[in-house]
Amino acid sequence: LAKTTQPISMDSYEGQEVNITCSHNNIATNDYITWYQQFPSQGPRFIIQGYKTKVTNEVASLFIPADRKSSTLSLPRVSLSDTAVYYCLVGEMDSSYKLIFGSGTRLLVRP
Amino acid sequence: DTGVSQDPRHKITKRGQNVTFRCDPISEHNRLYWYRQTLGQGPEFLTYFQNEAQLEKSRLLSDRFSAERPKGSFSTLEIQRTEQGDSAMYLCASRARDTSNEKLFFGSGTQLSVL
């Protein structure tokens, strides 16, 4: 499973766009990139997943360059409620699909 | 609410006691996972079930830990002779039968404190 590297923490202000970049230099051909969000005292929650180029849903966008060695989660116009830990995960969607979490990025959104 | 229920939400026990946690996954999900999370760290994989079969166990799962999913529905995680190092949040997650469904749905976890 490819190892991921992401910033330990980030600060932002309400209304700003936040971009969290994750490095995964050893990503394999069959690996997908997935981001989860976790609030205190809750389990992680799926945000978005992609394989290449750009994926957008109602919550976020995921940008993946052609070499797929990194990815960027983009949160548009963050609010205080977006304060959470964000995890970048890389893995193959095989039958077990065991997710391996790193330490994540702690995002603090200030008023 | 993700639809994955865990009970209890909190458990305080004394060192050496046995504890058991329960997870009720989303009903149509045949894949079930247990994770453990300590403060400031990401969740660590413990074990995985497909239906009632336990297909994978982490080496983190010592012989004091046992997990079951007797009828392929709910699951239990038992820790025998608890140690202070077992204090953590224990998370359960489930996933749908269709392997193209990439989402894991997590419960809110059971917070274990071993005194």
Side-chain angles (χ1 to χ4, degrees), chain A residues 15-33:
Chain A
Q16 290 189 333
E17 178 183 74
V18 170
N19 296 309
I20 306 175
T21 297
C22 177
S23 298
H24 28 80
N25 291 320
N26 296 321
I27 190 168
T29 302
N30 295 332
D31 286 346
Y32 280 71
I33 300 155

Side-chain angles (χ1 to χ4, degrees), chain A residues 36-54:
Chain A
Y36 279 76
Q37 174 193 54
Q38 187 176 26
F39 299 113
S41 300
Q42 294 186 25
R45 183 175 71 103
F46 173 91
I47 301 176
I48 198 166
Q49 184 183 76
Y51 183 80
K52 62 180 178 181
T53 63
K54 177 183 174 182

Side-chain angles (χ1 to χ4, degrees), chain A residues 10 12-19 63 73-78:
Chain A
M10 294 182 67
S12 183
Y13 291 92
E14 279 191 296
Q16 290 189 333
E17 178 183 74
V18 170
N19 296 309
F63 298 91
L73 174 72
S74 180
L75 305 172
R77 298 178 299 282
V78 293

Side-chain angles (χ1 to χ4, degrees), chain B:
Chain B
D1 182 10
T2 63
V4 178
S5 300
Q6 292 190 245
D7 183 68
R9 286 297 311 275
H10 300 91
K11 178 70 176 179
I12 299 173
T13 191
K14 293 183 178 179
R15 189 175 53 185
Q17 297 294 305
N18 299 343
V19 294
T20 300
F21 311 140
R22 177 180 170 122
C23 172
D24 287 272
I26 295 172
S27 59
E28 63 268 25
H29 287 187
N30 70 330
R31 290 166 171 81
L32 186 147
Y33 303 75
W34 284 99
Y35 283 81
R36 179 173 69 185
Q37 186 173 26
T38 54
L39 197 62
Q41 302 298 313
E44 298 173 297
F45 170 79
L46 292 179
T47 189
Y48 157 70
F49 289 86
Q50 183 170 322
N51 300 312
E52 65 276 10
Q54 188 174 18
L55 297 185
E56 191 167 349
K57 293 196 302 185
S58 165
R59 55 188 168 83
L60 293 174
L61 213 64
S62 76
D63 56 7
R64 296 186 297 106
F65 288 70
S66 62
E68 293 183 342
R69 194 182 183 198
K71 295 183 180 180
S73 56
F74 73 92
S75 175
T76 59
L77 177 68
E78 180 183 16
I79 308 174
Q80 295 182 327
R81 305 180 303 281
T82 53
E83 302 172 355
Q84 288 184 325
D86 296 332
S87 295
M89 172 80 82
Y90 290 84
L91 292 161
C92 174
S94 69
R95 180 181 162 220
R97 182 181 305 274
D98 180 358
T99 56
S100 67
N101 185 330
E102 71 287 359
K103 296 180 185 179
L104 284 193
F105 293 82
F106 283 84
S108 295
T110 294
Q111 181 67 52
L112 173 66
S113 298
V114 181
L115 306 178

